[in-house]
Amino acid sequence: MSLYRGYPIGGLLIWVTKTDPTITRGDGELTPGVVNLILDGQQRITSLYGIIRGHAPRFFDGNANSFTGLYFNIKEEIFEFYMATKMKDNQDWISVSELLQKGASNYIGEADAERKMFLFNYLDVLNRLNNIKDVDLYISNVTGEDKTIDVVVEIFNNVNTGGTKLNRGDLALAKICSMWPDARNEMKKYLKQLQNAGYYFSLDWLLRCITVYMTGRPYFSELDKYTIGEFKKSLYKTEQMIGICLDHIGSRLGLDHDRVLASKLSIATMIGYLRKQPSAKLDNAHWNKLMYWYIHTFLWGRYASASESKIAQDLNVIAEGENIEGLLRLLRQQRGELNLIPDDFWGWSTGARFYPLLYLLTRVNHAKDFGTGIELTHSLLGKNSTLEVHHIFPKDVLYKAGKTKAIVNSLANYAFLTKDTNLEILNKAPEEYMPYYEQKQPGALESNWIPVDHELWKVENYELFLQKRRELLAKGANEFLQSLYDGDVPSATIETFTDRLAPNMLDEDEENPLAEIAHWMEENGLSSGERNYVINDNGGDVILDIAWPDGVQTGLSKPLALLLNESEEVCAAANRCGYTYLTDIQDFKDYVKVNYIG
């Protein structure tokens, strides 16, 4: 509307940067020397491009209907997205894209006689709309040998203090795509392969992994030292290394899908490690120790803050030849003692750092299903059964007893069971169902670190039950971790992630609304978000129910979150970290419709 009315809409900030003279595009060389990348004004230009051309640019990840469905009422001079009930067979509404592509004269000329007469009455309106294409925008260029990715990002963020922050990864990828247009699609193709196996990674994460493989450092600015040919080769080599890491994490630890694959940035460091220590040369004991390090990275949030500098520290240690002991030394400097204590299992929700550890322990220690006695091993959980999160003390029972959400969803109240057993138990209190399973499957309760003191199975002793189970979990975890470090864990059969079926982990009842929101977003061509997303607020971790840390349209919008039944402290933390947040599902949908769907 601003363009139509002739209002100022600001200018463009352009980064003029060098290209790789060795590459070609089409039948000839890309003009050597420079490429122009839009820094500020990208959303405006993207919208104009899509509306004028009638389709989204190839890099666009959002809702393409934002471009193809824009209509204009030539009587009332208003823009709205197409609604059949309102606009079908209504001559007042015209397609903006159609007019801009044909021009006002051709648009009128192709109409039948009756419609021509009608449109001629609004020729001035149509011309004004068509003239949007001819608006001159002021362009400011950022040039110079010293204008690296890091410098350009700093310049932009200083100029645009109130808007969306520019991401170094987005800028680096944009430069790569200017020289290799298929780069984004090739990377997305691999991310889709990972998604089919149950893993969800971002383009920024994959670019970080490629950068580490190519340069031995995590900084995107290092990519300028390499050719596009080297980038292409590194992409495919990096994909192989990611596969190796996921195969060992999944096969040795049982962490074989996204909901339990914590500390994804640890994989970037592992790629740096394998770059110096080829995987074929690592024996079972070495892999066990690497897995020991990986577990501790997510338990203590190694990359939860200042992630780039932390990865750089780790890669420097690797480059200096300290190997795994050097990485562990840095962890101990950050954490101190790596042994677990019962209070470490005090967290709550499936987003807590220790949730993957609970899942891991269930698998590697062959915990038994209460009802069937079947060992909950890798093959069972990965392929042959649906695994469900089980509340040992049912939520309904605890809420009726006046317990809070956090205490109800304490990690120490979680166990993993087969679907049939979980349905069999339903809302029975532990003092009712546990004696039955204790007799039916001897040892099954103990294998899940459940105290067998019958007094602790009573609701009035729930907090004492949690305390005792935390002690048992800490003991079991320390024993397993020590066996990994000592190399005592037997060699695992390494199963490739491409051969595995993504496990069917059912959500807890309270998380079903989040699953529904994620699905609704995908149906509307938008990102499904990240559930149980961890943000760092004033040095502490805060878990957001579901979040879009890079915006619903990556790089084009501000961070967004949906917070259900959360405390004022969580909401305040989200606000301090720059998130727009909503606390009601319908309000969230209305917000998204207005801002991203139309």
Side-chain angles (χ1 to χ4, degrees):
M1 181 58 77
S2 295
L3 284 169
Y4 176 73
R5 297 293 186 196
Y7 300 157
I9 63 166
L12 302 177
L13 183 63
I14 304 292
W15 180 30
V16 183
T17 184
K18 287 186 176 181
T19 62
D20 177 359
T22 67
I23 66 170
T24 60
R25 180 181 296 176
D27 297 326
E29 289 188 358
L30 183 70
T31 302
V34 299
V35 63
N36 296 333
L37 298 176
I38 301 174
L39 299 177
D40 191 21
Q42 185 184 104
Q43 188 166 3
R44 278 164 280 163
I45 294 300
T46 300
S47 298
L48 281 172
Y49 176 98
I51 291 169
I52 294 171
R53 296 289 181 90
H55 61 81
R58 63 188 300 172
F59 63 81
F60 189 71
D61 291 325
N63 183 7
N65 292 332
S66 301
F67 307 124
T68 59
L70 186 63
Y71 275 64
F72 182 72
N73 188 301
I74 57 177
K75 283 185 178 179
E76 299 180 19
E77 298 182 53
I78 57 174
F79 293 91
E80 289 186 18
F81 285 94
Y82 183 75
M83 291 185 291
T85 55
K86 186 175 184 178
M87 302 175 186
K88 186 178 181 181
D89 300 325
N90 186 334
Q91 63 179 351
D92 296 349
W93 291 95
I94 66 169
S95 167
V96 175
S97 292
E98 187 178 355
L99 177 83
L100 293 178
Q101 289 175 38
K102 294 178 179 179
S105 297
N106 289 334
Y107 184 81
I108 295 174
E110 293 179 3
D112 58 41
E114 182 180 351
R115 182 154 176 76
K116 280 181 184 177
M117 291 294 294
F118 172 77
L119 292 174
F120 269 124
N121 294 325
Y122 298 94
L123 181 60
D124 181 60
V125 171
L126 295 175
N127 279 328
R128 253 188 293 152
L129 181 59
N130 187 58
N131 288 340
I132 286 175
K133 296 181 295 185
D134 300 323
V135 173
D136 287 328
L137 297 176
Y138 174 75
I139 297 176
S140 179
N141 292 320
V142 176
T143 63
E145 292 285 341
D146 62 326
K147 301 305 187 294
T148 64
I149 288 175
D150 292 336
V151 171
V152 170
V153 167
E154 184 176 358
I155 290 172
F156 174 85
N157 289 338
N158 286 336
V159 171
N160 194 37
T161 55
T164 303
K165 297 298 183 183
L166 183 62
N167 182 292
R168 286 176 171 81
D170 289 341
L171 187 57
L173 185 56
K175 183 174 180 180
I176 290 166
C177 289
S178 71
M179 295 180 280
W180 180 29
D182 288 331
R184 192 183 299 267
N185 288 336
E186 287 297 313
M187 293 169 70
K188 284 185 176 180
K189 190 184 300 181
Y190 181 65
L191 293 177
K192 182 64 177 177
Q193 184 182 0
L194 292 170
Q195 184 177 333
N196 291 339
Y199 300 105
Y200 295 82
F201 295 100
S202 67
L203 278 168
D204 189 84
W205 172 86
L206 179 54
L207 185 63
R208 185 79 67 186
C209 291
I210 297 167
T211 303
V212 169
Y213 175 79
M214 281 184 69
T215 72
R217 305 183 72 189
Y219 306 116
F220 294 130
S221 58
E222 294 289 314
L223 294 172
D224 280 345
K225 301 175 183 178
Y226 296 82
T227 67
I228 286 298
E230 290 171 316
F231 182 86
K232 289 181 180 180
K233 292 178 182 177
S234 295
L235 168 60
Y236 304 121
K237 288 288 188 180
T238 302
E239 290 176 357
Q240 293 174 0
M241 285 197 173
I242 290 170
I244 291 170
C245 293
L246 293 177
D247 292 344
H248 281 271
I249 292 170
S251 300
R252 291 176 179 275
L253 305 179
L255 303 178
D256 60 0
H257 64 285
D258 202 73
R259 294 294 297 280
V260 293
L261 187 72
S263 190
K264 295 176 181 178
L265 283 175
S266 297
I267 294 175
T269 299
M270 290 176 71
I271 287 171
Y273 192 84
L274 297 180
R275 186 173 175 264
K276 296 286 289 185
Q277 299 277 348
S279 60
K281 295 183 179 180
L282 302 187
D283 59 18
N284 181 62
H286 203 143
W287 271 112
N288 281 344
K289 194 168 286 190
L290 192 57
M291 293 298 101
Y292 174 88
W293 167 83
Y294 167 72
I295 292 170
H296 282 293
T297 63
F298 69 72
L299 292 183
W300 314 122
R302 173 63 180 165
Y303 305 117
S305 63
S307 56
E308 193 174 65
S309 63
K310 296 283 182 61
I311 296 174
Q313 289 176 8
D314 292 344
L315 293 176
N316 285 339
V317 162
I318 292 169
E320 291 167 2
E322 288 191 63
N323 297 329
I324 194 66
E325 290 298 338
L327 295 178
L328 291 172
R329 175 178 58 77
L330 292 180
L331 269 176
R332 292 188 181 98
Q333 287 176 1
Q334 172 186 330
R335 165 67 186 174
E337 182 57 55
L338 296 182
N339 279 341
L340 278 57
I341 60 175
D343 280 354
D344 290 328
F345 286 90
W346 191 266
W348 69 282
S349 94
T350 57
R353 283 183 183 157
F354 277 68
Y355 176 80
L357 180 62
L358 180 59
Y359 181 81
L360 178 160
L361 292 173
T362 301
R363 301 193 66 175
V364 298
N365 285 336
H366 305 283
K368 295 179 180 179
D369 180 65
F370 297 172
T372 63
I374 294 174
E375 288 189 350
L376 303 177
T377 59
H378 298 205
S379 59
L380 173 66
L381 301 188
K383 293 183 177 178
N384 303 325
S385 179
T386 295
L387 184 69
E388 294 193 348
V389 178
H390 169 68
H391 280 73
I392 300 168
F393 281 72
K395 290 180 289 184
D396 287 350
V397 171
L398 293 174
Y399 283 133
K400 287 177 182 177
K403 306 301 181 183
T404 64
K405 179 180 178 181
I407 200 72
V408 168
N409 293 289
S410 170
L411 280 181
N413 193 32
Y414 286 163
F416 297 98
L417 298 177
T418 58
K419 181 177 181 179
D420 288 344
T421 299
N422 205 20
L423 287 173
E424 190 175 75
I425 294 172
L426 285 178
N427 288 327
K428 298 184 182 74
E431 60 182 323
E432 179 182 352
Y433 73 82
M434 279 193 183
Y436 168 74
Y437 290 118
E438 187 178 34
Q439 293 296 318
K440 182 180 180 182
Q441 300 295 342
L445 298 179
E446 293 93 329
S447 73
N448 285 277
W449 305 277
I450 292 176
V452 291
D453 180 348
H454 290 215
E455 286 297 309
L456 297 179
W457 298 348
K458 297 177 179 180
V459 176
E460 58 265 30
N461 294 325
Y462 176 59
E463 281 82 357
L464 292 175
F465 169 86
L466 294 179
Q467 180 181 330
K468 182 60 178 177
R469 190 161 190 251
R470 290 187 188 106
E471 293 172 4
L472 295 173
L473 286 169
K475 181 175 182 294
N478 282 325
E479 288 175 352
F480 174 72
L481 288 168
Q482 190 61 46
S483 65
L484 270 180
Y485 183 81
D486 293 339
D488 295 336
V489 176
S491 179
T493 300
I494 306 302
E495 186 179 34
T496 62
F497 77 88
T498 52
D499 292 334
R500 289 197 304 264
L501 296 177
N504 184 13
M505 286 286 292
L506 294 188
D507 293 315
E508 302 167 80
D509 292 342
E510 65 194 11
E511 291 190 335
N512 282 340
L514 303 182
E516 190 272 330
I517 280 293
H519 181 65
W520 181 80
M521 293 289 282
E522 285 184 341
E523 283 184 332
N524 285 285
L526 302 170
S527 165
S528 60
E530 297 187 43
R531 276 191 269 175
N532 296 315
Y533 185 75
V534 179
I535 60 174
N536 189 271
D537 178 53
N538 295 328
D541 286 346
V542 176
I543 298 171
L544 308 182
D545 288 332
I546 184 168
W548 289 261
D550 297 319
V552 170
Q553 294 175 339
T554 303
L556 300 178
S557 54
K558 294 182 179 180
L560 179 68
L562 173 62
L563 308 177
L564 301 178
N565 303 316
E566 292 294 357
S567 66
E568 292 181 4
E569 289 80 5
V570 171
C571 295
N575 184 58
R576 283 192 294 270
C577 291
Y579 281 78
T580 297
Y581 68 87
L582 295 101
T583 58
D584 177 82
I585 290 176
Q586 191 56 53
D587 288 347
F588 177 86
K589 287 184 175 181
D590 291 342
Y591 176 86
V592 172
K593 286 176 183 176
V594 169
N595 290 280
Y596 303 108
I597 298 175

